[in-house]
Amino acid sequence: MNDRKVYSLNKLAFLISAGVNVELALDNSNKCYGIINDNIADLLEQYKNNKELHLFLNAYKELRQFIKENKE
């Protein structure tokens, strides 16, 4: 897969931590995405199947939601 665009910040962070070369960019809506030229199918499968990572991400999402709902 050449020039794959990934918008998920969680996936991008995982890929960067795994040593993948990610070119970061912003789209017309100012959303961050990464352009990846490497074959990342195996890493995406690891990301998908990593239960501990997803438990962490879900807990972090709960914290962000709590903060958002309780801002003064």
Side-chain angles (χ1 to χ4, degrees), residues 28-44:
N28 293 338
S29 302
N30 242 9
K31 291 186 179 183
C32 180
Y33 66 94
I35 300 170
I36 302 162
N37 294 315
D38 301 332
N39 182 347
I40 57 171
D42 289 344
L43 284 172
L44 290 177

Side-chain angles (χ1 to χ4, degrees), residues 1 16 20 24 31-32 38 42 58 70 72:
M1 290 183 181
I16 290 168
V20 174
L24 297 175
K31 291 186 179 183
C32 180
D38 301 332
D42 289 344
N58 288 335
N70 292 285
E72 296 180 337

Side-chain angles (χ1 to χ4, degrees), residues 8 10 16 19 25 27 31 46-47 49 55 57 59-60 68:
S8 167
N10 291 337
I16 290 168
D27 67 11
K31 291 186 179 183
Q46 286 178 23
Y47 172 84
N49 294 320
L55 288 171
L57 293 174
Y60 187 75
K68 181 180 177 182

